[in-house]
Amino acid sequence: MGSKRRLIPWIHDVLATLDFETALDPFSGTGCVAYLMKAMGRRVTASDFLSFTSLIAQATVANGTRTLDTADIDAILSLRADVDDFVARTFAGVFFTAEDRAFLDRASAGLRGLDDQDARALAYAALFRSCLKKQPRGVFTVSGDLAHYDDGRRDLRLSLEEHFREQVAVFNAAVFDNGRINRALQADVFAVDPVGFDLVYLDPPYVPRSDDNCYVKRYHFLEGLSCYWQGLEILHGTKVKKIAKRFTPFSYRRTAVDAFERMFARFSKSTIVLSYSSNGYPDLDVLEELLRRYKRRVDIFERSHRYHFGTHASVERARVTEYLVVGRE
Ligand SMILES: C[S@@+](CC[C@H](N)C(=O)[O-])C[C@H]1O[C@@H](n2cnc3c(N)ncnc32)[C@H](O)[C@@H]1O
């Protein structure tokens, strides 16, 4: 959700007109924009306050050379004495089959045993994508008997272990070195040191139209899996065993405008490229006015876009205009 993947060619064309060598993407999400800038040969820092998204950025943006071979996979999947059964116990009747849950417990123990942080991140990225593919709608909001979603899709038939082996190959193929030292961080946007970036690409969450917009609500299982739920509080009263969502000021009407202003002030030394959709809050003219307080030149690029998320009834609402608001000088 919220991925700019389909807009990457357009974002590339806009970024290609800008003069920058170093870039920060402090709301990296899937990492696709940071990965684009890496592919453009820039020195990139990707950051996100969630752990699972930071691992994806570590695997694909920061990591330039490490891939996983058969010995790594054997090490991850080997039977070990220290395997906990947390996933099997906690998510029985909620997500996946018993065999898949046992696999996640085993793979989690194996992954934690990998010393190399790039190797571990790459394996996590493959594991997350496997879990998403096996969930009928690619989210963790629905649980229990999912038979009515079963349209015979291969993704639903493969075991998580089979998915994992395939996804390792997919992520291995995505690894490349752009000759720069790129980084991945897990941090709140207001905790990232703003110094030293020619360009900052900002794609914060926007105030949701409905509760359905929350990332943690949709992807809580991956966030939990990324640290084996260590230090996270599970809301046991919830059907899908969610974790508490992280506060972000961008998601609430009463705090969003102030958060944008503080963010623009924080990155005022860099060229700012802000992603914005026509269905967002605050309105575009409010954001433009805020940005003009810090930037002499503000240009707005736009493009119509249809999001492939949502039910048939919401398809119309999903048709939006996408903007890139560029502040310079
Ligand atoms: C709209 S998504 C970014 C999508 C990304 N550009 C992509 O194409 O995949 C927003 C991201 O910001 C993260 N986030 C929300 N509030 C944050 C904060 N205060 N600091 C850092 N990251 C935050 C969320 O975890 C989410 O991954």
Side-chain angles (χ1 to χ4, degrees), residues 10-11 13-15 17-18 272-276 284 297-304 321-328:
W10 172 64
I11 294 176
D13 292 349
V14 174
L15 292 178
T17 66
L18 304 173
I272 291 178
V273 179
L274 175 75
S275 264
Y276 176 79
L284 183 59
R297 176 172 170 196
V298 174
D299 297 298
I300 298 182
F301 299 82
E302 70 171 80
R303 200 197 123 113
S304 83
T321 304
E322 285 288 329
Y323 299 93
L324 284 172
V325 185
V326 179
R328 279 175 268 192

Side-chain angles (χ1 to χ4, degrees), residues 1-6 8 11 25-34 47-54 186-192 201-206 215-216 219 223 246-251 263 275 307:
M1 186 185 71
S3 167
K4 291 288 181 281
R5 186 171 65 89
R6 289 195 169 79
I8 287 293
I11 294 176
D25 178 354
F27 300 96
S28 61
T30 64
C32 65
V33 178
S47 181
D48 198 287
F49 73 178
L50 294 181
S51 152
F52 85 95
T53 45
S54 307
Q186 182 186 353
D188 190 278
V189 63
F190 294 109
V192 178
Y201 169 74
L202 300 171
D203 186 16
Y206 282 87
Y215 295 92
V216 174
Y219 303 117
E223 185 64 5
R246 268 195 82 139
F247 172 76
T248 184
F250 298 95
S251 289
M263 182 166 72
S275 264
Y307 276 95

Side-chain angles (χ1 to χ4, degrees), residues 154-155 158 161-171:
R154 178 174 180 274
D155 275 355
L158 291 190
E161 178 165 347
E162 289 167 321
H163 272 298
F164 178 69
R165 290 177 185 277
E166 287 191 2
Q167 292 310 315
V168 164
V170 168
F171 277 92

Side-chain angles (χ1 to χ4, degrees), residues 62-298:
N63 173 27
T65 51
R66 185 66 155 90
T67 53
L68 296 172
D69 59 20
T70 321
D72 294 315
I73 297 173
D74 289 346
I76 295 166
L77 300 185
S78 63
L79 290 172
R80 326 160 47 108
D82 60 345
V83 175
D84 195 350
D85 63 350
F86 182 85
V87 176
R89 269 187 287 124
T90 313
F91 293 97
V94 181
F95 297 129
F96 308 120
T97 62
E99 176 203 358
D100 285 342
R101 288 190 297 272
F103 163 76
L104 288 174
D105 281 321
R106 183 158 50 97
S108 294
L111 270 162
R112 290 196 302 276
L114 286 182
D115 290 333
D116 184 89
Q117 68 160 353
D118 287 336
R120 203 169 47 233
L122 206 57
Y124 267 119
L127 198 61
F128 300 150
R129 193 146 189 267
S130 304
C131 292
L132 286 172
K133 282 180 157 286
K134 190 82 194 263
Q135 277 295 96
R137 290 172 54 227
V139 291
F140 295 91
T141 51
V142 283
S143 67
D145 182 8
L146 303 175
H148 57 290
Y149 286 109
D150 193 350
D151 49 10
R153 244 181 300 164
R154 178 174 180 274
D155 275 355
L156 301 186
R157 285 200 319 271
L158 291 190
S159 70
L160 274 183
E161 178 165 347
E162 289 167 321
H163 272 298
F164 178 69
R165 290 177 185 277
E166 287 191 2
Q167 292 310 315
V168 164
V170 168
F171 277 92
N172 274 345
V175 174
F176 75 100
D177 186 359
N178 74 346
R180 304 285 189 121
I181 295 171
N182 303 296
R183 292 186 304 157
L185 312 172
Q186 182 186 353
D188 190 278
V189 63
F190 294 109
V192 178
D193 182 354
V195 176
F197 301 108
D198 300 334
L199 180 143
V200 179
Y201 169 74
L202 300 171
D203 186 16
Y206 282 87
V207 177
R209 299 276 149 177
S210 69
D211 184 38
D212 219 28
N213 242 8
C214 172
Y215 295 92
V216 174
K217 180 176 170 190
R218 292 190 172 199
Y219 303 117
H220 63 94
F221 188 83
L222 304 184
E223 185 64 5
L225 189 61
S226 72
C227 58
Y228 208 60
W229 289 266
Q230 300 289 313
L232 295 179
E233 187 203 341
I234 291 198
L235 305 174
H236 280 287
T238 60
K239 232 172 130 184
V240 291
K241 310 286 177 201
K242 275 195 299 190
I243 53 176
K245 64 178 168 196
R246 268 195 82 139
F247 172 76
T248 184
F250 298 95
S251 289
Y252 302 91
R253 268 176 191 261
R254 71 189 154 74
T255 47
V257 173
D258 170 67
F260 275 102
E261 163 122 49
R262 283 190 293 126
M263 182 166 72
F264 294 157
R266 191 170 180 85
F267 297 114
S268 60
K269 298 262 186 306
S270 312
T271 292
I272 291 178
V273 179
L274 175 75
S275 264
Y276 176 79
S277 306
S278 53
N279 59 358
Y281 172 89
D283 288 339
L284 183 59
D285 51 357
V286 173
L287 288 174
E288 187 183 343
E289 194 272 317
L290 284 179
L291 189 54
R292 281 192 194 281
R293 292 184 195 171
Y294 300 93
K295 292 290 170 191
R296 272 213 304 267
R297 176 172 170 196
V298 174

